Amino acid sequence: MNTDAMNQDRRTRLSSLLLAAALCASLAGCMMKETLPVPKLSAAQAVQEVPEAQLLDIGLRLFDTGLTKEELDNPEVAEKKGVYPDIRKAESRYLPTVLRETLEATGQWGAVRVIPPAVTVMDVMVDGRIVESTGYHLSFDAKVTDSTGRLWFSKRYEQDADTSSYREDAPKGSNGRVRDPFQNLYVKLADDVLAYRRQLDITALTNVQRVTELRFARSIAPKAFSGYLAQEAKTGTWVVTRLPAEDDPLLQRVRTIEQRDDAVIDTVSDYYDGFTERLHDPYSNWRRYTHDEIETRDKLRTQANARKMLGAAAVLAGILVPDSCGTNTCNRAVSVARAGAIYGGVQAVMSGISKGQEAKMNDATLKELSNSFQSEAAPQVVEVEGRALKLTGTAEQQYAEWRALLDELVEADNAGLAPQAVTAPQAGAAPQAVTPAAKPQAPAPK
């Protein structure tokens, strides 16, 4: 075989390979990802009454939005990444509230509250940071600590949405709402918190409750209670060094104040519950629509890329069609084939570009849906200690004002008061002089 014939044969083979590759790319772009059924997990329920010493209270801080300062200050920067700051701010309140419902329903804990940032201490504190949140995928980091400063665990939770929750005929639970598409994440976190608590003995659990009370007392009257706790230099954990007498009038007053403070926190937590209740339907719709938008967008982008590849390959194959095959009829057929391949390839490339533009339009629709969601987060007014507090989406600021007022009142009330003699714990033994205030019994498992 001469050199021209060999080159012609190579071109023919190459054009065939390019067309075959383009066909494979086109077929790959049309393949749909199937959504398999997701098993629905349930958090471990208490099967009997939980002993009071194990009824630790849980505080769920508002989740960190996970947005940078630049993204918060310039929403357009975040929106280019498909993230909408206003929705993230709403989610920072919504997600911990769903987690609260999951934890409370187990009957394994005392009070479970969603708390504003100004609350500095509870028996167990859960901090969360949103990594990714769309109707398609949810990912957040969770860190769990107790009042002594002990780190229980730090872990990332993530999963794709259970799309059965997006069906129009999805069943509703006892709360009148459809199961959250990411409920399994909250269940896993609730089970992890419970698993760690079960590792602690009664002495450790009682110590956590005692440290919680003394840290609160220290925050109310720092001069009077500064000597009851110390922080270890290496670990930063809180250790009880001595205890006030059980009948200390200042301790009794602090306990009364703590009950009032708990009532305010409960009011704020109820606000978050109401916020979540109002938000549920529009937010669920937003999730459903964004799931469809993201799925459609990704499909269109895949199809666009496949069509561009197919078009480019067809153009290249047309160019590489042999110039001559020996007869006039064959040569005319080659010319027609080349022109058809190039034209078809250009059309495929243009179709791919059109699909890409369509994907951008879907991104714009997603942004529009997100903006329409903002108006649903309406403020509300609550009564606290006979005073009307307007919670305008920043209930945490209202709580901060309450604490500032409380500190002023306590400072005036405590003038001239000093704690009574203290009892030092025996070496190597847990302090026993003070019994932490009784916890409310856990609600019966649902």
Side-chain angles (χ1 to χ4, degrees):
M1 184 180 292
N2 58 36
T3 303
D4 291 341
M6 292 176 62
N7 289 337
Q8 187 179 43
D9 183 61
R10 289 194 187 99
R11 289 180 179 180
T12 301
R13 291 181 180 179
L14 181 56
S15 63
S16 298
L17 288 173
L18 286 169
L19 287 170
L23 180 60
C24 290
S26 178
L27 290 174
C30 294
M31 291 177 65
M32 292 293 293
K33 179 182 176 183
E34 292 187 9
T35 302
L36 299 177
V38 176
K40 293 176 171 52
L41 306 180
S42 298
Q45 303 287 305
V47 295
Q48 59 186 10
E49 186 176 291
V50 179
E52 186 175 316
Q54 298 180 29
L55 281 177
L56 300 183
D57 292 342
I58 298 183
L60 307 171
R61 286 196 177 99
L62 303 185
F63 280 16
D64 188 317
T65 62
L67 300 177
T68 64
K69 185 178 185 302
E70 181 185 18
E71 291 169 338
L72 289 170
D73 294 342
N74 302 287
E76 62 275 5
V77 174
E79 289 174 6
K80 289 180 180 178
K81 303 176 183 178
V83 179
Y84 305 97
D86 288 334
I87 287 186
R88 276 292 179 87
K89 292 175 184 177
E91 288 176 319
S92 71
R93 296 164 174 81
Y94 186 92
L95 301 185
T97 303
V98 179
L99 176 58
R100 184 200 67 78
E101 294 172 352
T102 304
L103 287 164
E104 189 175 64
T106 65
Q108 302 279 8
W109 306 95
V112 183
R113 305 179 176 102
V114 178
I115 58 176
V119 179
T120 58
V121 59
M122 288 188 72
D123 295 336
V124 180
M125 301 285 275
V126 179
D127 292 274
R129 179 180 180 275
I130 302 171
V131 178
E132 179 182 353
S133 181
T134 65
Y136 201 90
H137 186 84
L138 177 61
S139 172
F140 61 81
D141 294 328
K143 183 176 74 171
V144 182
T145 57
D146 63 34
S147 61
T148 70
R150 180 194 294 113
L151 174 65
W152 285 23
F153 62 87
S154 181
K155 184 177 177 180
R156 176 164 294 183
Y157 296 84
E158 59 181 329
Q159 75 166 68
D160 290 340
D162 178 0
T163 54
S164 66
S165 295
Y166 294 147
R167 295 201 312 260
E168 293 296 333
D169 60 346
K172 296 183 178 180
S174 58
N175 59 2
R177 303 202 302 259
V178 173
R179 179 183 171 92
D180 191 283
F182 303 101
Q183 181 61 31
N184 283 359
L185 287 188
Y186 307 113
V187 170
K188 291 176 181 177
L189 177 51
D191 285 347
D192 287 344
V193 177
L194 178 61
Y196 192 94
R197 191 201 69 188
R198 286 173 170 169
Q199 297 177 16
L200 303 177
D201 59 24
I202 296 300
T203 300
L205 294 172
T206 302
N207 187 58
V208 167
Q209 295 174 328
R210 182 175 290 111
V211 170
T212 300
E213 182 174 68
L214 290 176
R215 284 187 62 185
F216 178 82
R218 181 188 174 106
S219 72
I220 295 297
K223 292 182 180 179
F225 288 94
S226 61
Y228 294 96
L229 293 169
Q231 279 187 290
E232 294 184 348
K234 291 184 178 180
T235 63
T237 56
W238 291 92
V239 179
V240 178
T241 57
R242 53 180 182 164
L243 294 166
E246 183 66 28
D247 58 353
D248 183 346
L250 185 53
L251 177 63
Q252 298 302 320
R253 177 165 295 185
V254 165
R255 286 178 173 173
T256 300
I257 294 170
E258 186 174 17
Q259 291 176 355
R260 294 171 62 196
D261 186 65
D262 285 345
V264 177
I265 296 175
D266 284 336
T267 300
V268 175
S269 190
D270 288 344
Y271 164 77
Y272 292 132
D273 287 344
F275 175 84
T276 298
E277 194 66 34
R278 295 195 311 275
L279 222 57
H280 180 266
D281 288 345
Y283 183 54
S284 295
N285 290 334
W286 180 84
R287 275 179 162 175
R288 182 185 301 110
Y289 295 147
T290 56
H291 176 278
D292 294 343
E293 288 292 322
I294 291 170
E295 191 173 61
T296 301
R297 181 194 64 193
D298 291 346
K299 177 185 175 183
L300 289 174
R301 285 177 176 171
T302 301
Q303 289 179 347
N305 291 335
R307 292 189 184 193
K308 290 175 185 177
M309 290 175 61
L310 175 62
V315 171
L316 188 56
I319 294 172
L320 292 177
V321 169
D323 293 329
S324 176
C325 54
T327 67
N328 290 335
T329 301
C330 181
N331 288 336
R332 284 196 297 272
V334 166
S335 297
V336 172
R338 179 185 292 116
I342 292 175
Y343 176 78
V346 170
Q347 291 301 310
V349 171
M350 295 303 295
S351 176
I353 293 174
S354 176
K355 286 287 184 180
Q357 293 297 327
E358 193 174 341
K360 290 182 180 179
M361 291 175 62
N362 276 274
D363 283 340
T365 301
L366 188 150
K367 178 181 178 181
E368 183 179 349
L369 289 169
S370 300
N371 289 337
S372 67
F373 170 79
Q374 314 303 329
S375 61
E376 301 295 337
Q380 71 174 17
V381 177
V382 296
E383 292 288 334
V384 178
E385 296 290 325
R387 175 186 174 189
L389 296 180
K390 185 178 181 181
L391 307 178
T392 59
T394 55
E396 44 275 8
Q397 293 180 358
Q398 297 294 334
Y399 178 79
E401 292 177 7
W402 153 257
R403 280 306 302 260
L405 177 62
L406 180 61
D407 290 343
E408 293 177 6
L409 293 174
V410 170
E411 184 175 355
D413 288 345
N414 287 340
L417 280 178
Q420 294 181 359
V422 298
T423 302
Q426 297 179 359
Q432 298 295 327
V434 175
T435 301
K439 303 283 186 181
Q441 287 297 312
K446 297 181 180 179

